[in-house]
Amino acid sequence: MDKNTLTGFILIAIVLFCFTWYNQPSEADIAAQRQADSIAAVSQKKAEEQMKMKEVEKATKAAASAKAAAEDSTSLFFMAKQDTIGSASKTVVLKNDKLELTFAAKGAVVEKAVVKNYQDNDGNADVTLYDKNTSRLNFTLAAKEENISTGSLNFTPTEVTDSSVTFVAQAAPGKDITIRYKMLGDYMLGCSITANGMAGLFPPSTNSIDVDWQEKCKQQEKGYSFENRYSTLTYHFTEGGTDYLNETSEKTDEGVDEDIDWVAFKNQFFSAVMIAKEGFGKDVSLTSIPLDKNKDKGYLKFYQAKLKTAFDPTGAKPTELEFYYGPNDFRLLQRQEENSTFGKDLQLERLVYLGWPLFRYINRWFTLYVFDFLRSMAIPMGIILILITLLLKGITFPMVKKSYMSSAKMRVLRPKLDEATKQYDKPEDAMQKQQAMMQMYSEYGVSPLSGCLPMLIQMPIWIAMFNFVPNAIQLRRESFLWIDDLSTYDPIIEWNSNLWLIGDHLSLTCILFCLANLLYSWFTMQQQKDQMVGQQAEQMKMMQWMMLLMPLMFFFMFNDYSSGLNFYYFVSLFFSALIMWVLRKTTDDEKLLAILEARREENKKNPKKMSGMAARLQAMQQQQMELQKKREELARKNAQLRK
């Protein structure tokens, strides 16, 4: 080894020594590493313990399952509870041109209901009313040894056709539960439940079967809040009439005061109804819970009905039920009694809410017939709404004109009233002023109350249409002009977040309705202002502001309402304003005043005693004046006594 090689090795050794010395860990690094090693060891030990615990838990569950299986082997329906050949996944489909029902062999109930030829909110050709992920139906029988729950049994389908099927769950030879289904017409399904050869297995007191029906109500329309408002759990009293759980608040385990015979899980335009031939009695528990729009996207409410109906343990008489899966069409629902085998007045048409008694009569005996007649002529729905509006305006026009002429008479008499009552300008003379005005009205044959009639005439019709249009399924998916769907709102602009009072869109028909309302309010104010005298004109200014604010309030109320309803109100108010404008332009004030003067002269020659409301008002004013005089006289005497 030469000198240069030795020198190189020495230098390399020095470099390695310096590098090692420089990179050696500090005391802190050594402590941190020891801590990390300790944590890793603890974590590994903990993981090993968790694995052991899981193995123990698994073994425990397996043992419990084996024990339950051993105990369940003595169950009456032990074999029917086993799924040895995959029977739990079997399904049977019954269908016709209007309805398709899928039955699950596990439980022998409808797991999916599809209403055909009605487009859903996602653009599909048919509406899925509910499916197995959102619904549950279970029948429970209380036997001596155990409760028999059909939801835990695997039934064997037999006698299968396109319109009927029989499900059998066998307990032992000659002992079984049989559930038969048969389609009745387009949307009705008949069901019978029979326990065969099992009479001795039930207590003597057993005479009913428990029904537990649940559904997560699916959103079917674009307008979430509007559809939610018209989706309710509805029930029918055996003696007639219906009621429903509050659509906006949570109702849990609600009872009823009278016997009921059907319960409906109702959407705005579709319903699933369960009907009992022997009724459900009043020992029921009903639940309706509104769901959160964001957490349960695509769903409106959770419905549940816990019911009881008649059951014969001997099997001689089956438990009979019927189901309706279909649209909420008033005429269609009326016809379902023809398909039912129960021979009862079901009143299913009550699922289409037409309002309180007065408004229901208007809709039931007028609006529906006019609507059906116009529909039979294949007229577009938007035109039908316009024609209904014109018809109603034509019917009420004579009364509106009479009311307007009464207001016009007060308008042309205003200068004379101002002149006759100018001496009563003091506040304490208000009563005398009012009496003087009433006296002049009487002389000229004018009623000051007639000017209120136009609004009173139109209000029942407005409210009736408020109930009719949102429940008319015929408007669903019907387009008109710029409106894609008359049954929901028509946005001209939309955004992703909800703004307070407005929501996530602006509806064009709502804006038009509010503008027409503003126009009509302006005409009304002008008419009222022209007939006000003295302080009444000052007081009218405050009323004018309130009337101008009403259209703004209506905007916040109706922005998410159906475009069909807003369109009807827009057309109605537009024609109301037009009628008032035409009447104003065609009224000759000078000629009208001359007629009133002639009537006054005639009344002077043949004075008539005031009658009706005017007489009562005059009598009340006279009494108030006398009372006021007595108070003033008493105050004057008290003042003298003090002196």
Side-chain angles (χ1 to χ4, degrees):
M1 182 181 296
D2 58 14
K3 182 178 179 182
N4 292 332
T5 302
L6 181 60
T7 302
F9 277 119
I10 293 172
L11 290 174
I12 290 171
I14 292 172
V15 170
L16 289 173
F17 174 77
C18 292
F19 181 80
T20 302
W21 178 82
Y22 180 78
N23 287 286
Q24 68 178 348
S26 64
E27 291 296 330
D29 292 337
I30 293 171
Q33 183 61 39
R34 287 174 179 171
Q35 184 177 3
D37 292 342
S38 175
I39 292 173
V42 171
S43 298
Q44 182 177 358
K45 186 176 180 181
K46 186 175 181 180
E48 291 174 353
E49 290 177 353
Q50 288 179 345
M51 288 293 291
K52 290 180 180 179
M53 289 178 65
K54 287 182 179 179
E55 290 177 359
V56 171
E57 185 178 352
K58 186 176 180 180
T60 302
K61 286 183 178 180
S65 179
K67 182 179 179 182
E71 292 175 350
D72 195 47
S73 63
T74 61
S75 173
L76 180 63
F77 284 89
F78 172 71
M79 292 304 298
K81 293 179 181 179
Q82 309 308 304
D83 187 20
T84 56
I85 56 173
S87 58
S89 60
K90 287 184 178 180
T91 58
V92 175
V93 177
L94 304 185
K95 60 183 178 180
N96 55 32
D97 294 337
K98 305 291 186 181
L99 183 65
E100 180 176 308
L101 302 174
T102 302
F103 295 81
K106 181 68 176 291
V109 292
V110 177
E111 69 172 15
K112 186 178 183 180
V114 177
V115 183
K116 297 181 180 181
N117 307 320
Y118 287 91
Q119 191 181 64
D120 71 1
N121 192 37
D122 298 322
N124 299 313
D126 303 320
V127 167
T128 299
L129 195 55
Y130 65 77
D131 56 35
K132 62 182 179 181
N133 297 320
T134 60
S135 65
R136 177 176 177 268
L137 175 58
N138 185 64
F139 302 103
T140 303
L141 294 166
K144 290 179 180 179
E145 301 296 330
E146 61 180 306
N147 287 336
I148 303 171
S149 174
T150 59
S152 65
L153 304 181
N154 295 304
F155 287 76
T156 301
T158 63
E159 305 174 16
V160 181
T161 69
D162 285 342
S163 61
S164 64
V165 62
T166 299
F167 290 98
V168 179
Q170 194 170 43
K175 300 181 187 296
D176 63 61
I177 291 179
T178 301
I179 303 180
R180 294 183 175 87
Y181 292 101
K182 182 180 180 180
M183 299 191 78
L184 309 171
D186 291 335
Y187 297 102
M188 291 284 282
L189 175 71
C191 170
S192 67
I193 305 172
T194 308
N196 299 306
M198 299 173 59
L201 302 177
F202 294 97
S205 60
T206 299
N207 59 5
S208 65
I209 183 172
D210 292 335
V211 183
D212 186 0
W213 191 26
Q214 303 176 18
E215 182 196 354
K216 198 174 179 183
C217 182
K218 188 177 181 181
Q219 180 184 351
Q220 303 289 358
E221 314 304 323
K222 180 172 70 173
Y224 175 89
S225 59
F226 190 65
E227 183 184 6
N228 207 7
R229 192 176 293 119
Y230 290 92
S231 299
T232 59
L233 190 156
T234 306
Y235 49 92
H236 179 260
F237 298 112
T238 305
E239 298 300 323
T242 58
D243 203 349
Y244 58 90
L245 299 187
N246 189 286
E247 66 273 21
T248 58
S249 61
E250 180 176 322
K251 298 294 182 181
T252 305
D253 296 328
E254 291 287 311
V256 296
D257 297 328
E258 301 178 39
D259 293 345
I260 65 173
D261 57 8
W262 60 252
V263 173
F265 293 166
K266 176 181 177 292
N267 284 66
Q268 183 181 3
F269 292 125
F270 301 93
S271 291
V273 187
M274 181 190 296
I275 310 161
K277 183 176 183 179
E278 302 296 329
F280 294 118
K282 55 186 176 183
D283 184 15
V284 303
S285 174
L286 305 176
T287 295
S288 175
I289 301 175
L291 301 177
D292 186 271
K293 181 179 180 180
N294 298 317
K295 292 181 181 179
D296 297 279
K297 189 174 180 61
Y299 295 94
L300 305 173
K301 292 181 174 73
F302 170 75
Y303 293 140
Q304 183 175 23
K306 295 180 180 179
L307 314 161
K308 291 179 183 292
T309 191
F311 171 71
D312 181 6
T314 67
K317 185 178 181 181
T319 296
E320 294 187 69
L321 301 171
E322 288 179 346
F323 296 85
Y324 172 83
Y325 305 100
N328 298 331
D329 183 321
F330 189 90
R331 298 302 187 194
L332 176 65
L333 289 165
Q334 275 186 316
R335 294 194 297 270
Q336 294 313 304
E337 290 181 13
E338 301 172 5
N339 298 322
S340 174
T341 61
F342 293 168
K344 303 173 69 173
D345 184 10
L346 297 176
Q347 294 185 313
L348 287 175
E349 67 274 10
R350 291 270 186 147
L351 288 170
V352 181
Y353 183 68
L354 298 179
W356 290 350
L358 172 61
F359 314 120
R360 184 167 65 243
Y361 292 141
I362 294 173
N363 285 325
R364 175 67 181 84
W365 302 109
F366 173 79
T367 311
L368 271 169
Y369 283 99
V370 174
F371 192 73
D372 291 343
F373 172 74
L374 295 175
R375 279 186 64 220
S376 67
M377 301 172 66
I379 299 174
M381 287 298 167
I383 300 296
I384 288 178
L385 291 175
I386 294 175
L387 292 176
I388 290 176
T389 305
L390 292 176
L391 178 60
L392 292 172
K393 293 300 176 187
I395 292 173
T396 58
F397 178 76
M399 293 177 286
V400 171
K401 183 179 180 181
K402 183 177 180 181
S403 173
Y404 174 82
M405 293 307 297
S406 177
S407 299
K409 293 173 184 177
M410 295 173 66
R411 181 181 70 244
V412 299
L413 288 175
R414 180 180 174 182
K416 294 183 176 296
L417 289 171
D418 287 336
E419 180 65 25
T421 60
K422 63 182 180 180
Q423 68 269 29
Y424 302 118
D425 286 339
K426 297 180 180 180
E428 59 269 21
D429 297 334
M431 194 66 66
Q432 291 93 324
K433 183 176 183 178
Q434 189 68 23
Q435 189 171 19
M437 291 170 59
M438 293 299 295
Q439 181 62 35
M440 285 198 67
Y441 286 144
S442 177
E443 292 175 2
Y444 284 99
V446 176
S447 173
L449 299 178
S450 299
C452 303
L453 282 178
M455 208 60 189
L456 295 177
I457 293 168
Q458 295 182 69
M459 281 305 294
I461 298 173
W462 268 51
I463 298 173
M465 293 300 290
F466 177 84
N467 289 298
F468 177 79
V469 174
N471 289 294
I473 193 173
Q474 293 80 6
L475 298 178
R476 187 177 185 269
R477 301 293 187 268
E478 288 291 326
S479 61
F480 182 69
L481 298 177
W482 70 89
I483 305 169
D484 294 328
D485 186 350
L486 285 165
S487 70
T488 187
Y489 59 83
D490 58 319
I492 54 172
I493 184 173
E494 293 182 276
W495 50 88
N496 294 326
S497 59
N498 280 325
L499 298 181
W500 184 61
L501 293 178
I502 297 178
D504 58 2
H505 66 275
L506 290 178
S507 175
L508 179 55
T509 51
C510 180
I511 295 173
L512 292 175
F513 157 47
C514 293
L515 291 175
N517 195 4
L518 188 65
L519 178 65
Y520 178 74
S521 299
W522 184 82
F523 274 114
T524 303
M525 286 188 299
Q526 293 302 311
Q527 179 178 326
Q528 292 176 346
K529 185 173 66 174
D530 291 341
Q531 65 191 42
M532 294 299 176
V533 180
Q535 293 182 353
Q536 290 180 336
E538 295 298 322
Q539 295 172 355
M540 185 60 192
K541 291 181 180 179
M542 182 60 69
M543 289 294 296
Q544 289 176 354
W545 281 107
M546 293 178 64
M547 294 177 70
L548 290 174
L549 287 174
M550 283 299 293
L552 180 62
M553 295 173 61
F554 279 131
F555 171 76
F556 293 121
M557 292 171 58
F558 285 83
N559 188 44
D560 66 341
Y561 270 61
S562 71
S563 55
L565 182 64
N566 281 322
F567 181 73
Y568 165 77
Y569 283 157
F570 160 66
V571 174
S572 178
L573 284 167
F574 175 79
F575 279 111
S576 294
L578 181 62
I579 289 170
M580 291 182 66
W581 181 80
V582 171
L583 289 173
R584 182 69 179 88
K585 289 296 182 180
T586 55
T587 301
D588 188 332
D589 288 0
E590 293 182 1
K591 184 177 179 181
L592 181 60
L593 182 59
I595 293 173
L596 292 174
E597 291 290 355
R599 182 181 297 173
R600 186 187 187 191
E601 292 299 322
E602 183 180 350
N603 288 337
K604 285 182 178 180
K605 295 177 181 178
N606 302 295
K608 297 180 181 179
K609 187 177 181 180
M610 193 178 296
S611 61
M613 180 64 72
R616 287 193 289 271
L617 285 174
Q618 188 179 35
M620 290 175 60
Q621 291 173 356
Q622 185 66 35
Q623 290 176 1
Q624 290 177 351
M625 286 184 62
E626 292 176 358
L627 182 61
Q628 182 66 26
K629 288 180 179 179
K630 289 180 180 179
R631 288 175 179 172
E632 291 175 356
E633 183 67 24
L634 182 61
R636 187 165 52 253
K637 289 181 178 179
N638 290 335
Q640 291 175 353
L641 290 173
R642 291 192 191 99
K643 293 179 180 180

